[in-house]
Amino acid sequence: MNAYAASVSPCIGACGIDETTGFCQGCARTRDEITKWRQEDGAYRQKIWDTLPQRFEELGISCRRLPWNRNEIENFVHTSLKEKKRHMDVRRSGRCRRIYADSPP
């Protein structure tokens, strides 16, 4: 289990439940999952984190919080840019931002 994921919420502050799917349009959790998040243990939270990638894909959500600590994020960015990915979408200070390989830090 990823201890960091079990402690951080996937909420990105773009809340709105889609009445058709029942999922939040920001974090892809259900109302019930959102409500229980703080009361439940790490195993419950990890189980939800494990379902989110598929939900994001199905809902077309491209900007989301990753359950990574700072070192994991830095390693991902370094590896991705090294592999010459064209760009990354990063949410910082409440906004999604597209970063290109040649963008300043």
Side-chain angles (χ1 to χ4, degrees), residues 3-16:
Y4 184 76
S7 68
V8 68
S9 167
C11 180
I12 63 168
C15 307

Side-chain angles (χ1 to χ4, degrees), residues 24-68:
C24 175
Q25 296 170 339
C27 68
R29 293 180 294 165
T30 65
R31 278 189 175 106
D32 188 52
E33 291 167 344
I34 293 167
T35 302
K36 290 181 177 179
W37 189 263
R38 290 183 186 212
Q39 293 87 27
E40 294 292 339
D41 63 12
Y44 172 86
R45 294 175 185 168
Q46 185 64 53
K47 183 178 174 182
I48 293 172
W49 271 111
D50 292 344
T51 66
L52 293 181
Q54 181 178 354
R55 291 182 189 177
F56 291 139
E57 183 75 27
E58 291 170 4
L59 298 169
I61 297 173
S62 62
C63 188
R64 58 189 173 259
R65 174 176 279 172
L66 298 172
W68 298 344

Side-chain angles (χ1 to χ4, degrees), residues 70-87:
R70 182 184 174 115
N71 289 337
E72 290 170 314
I73 293 169
E74 288 175 359
N75 288 336
F76 174 77
V77 169
H78 176 73
T79 301
S80 295
L81 293 178
K82 186 177 178 182
E83 293 172 358
K84 301 184 186 201
K85 301 279 185 188
R86 297 197 57 128
H87 68 270

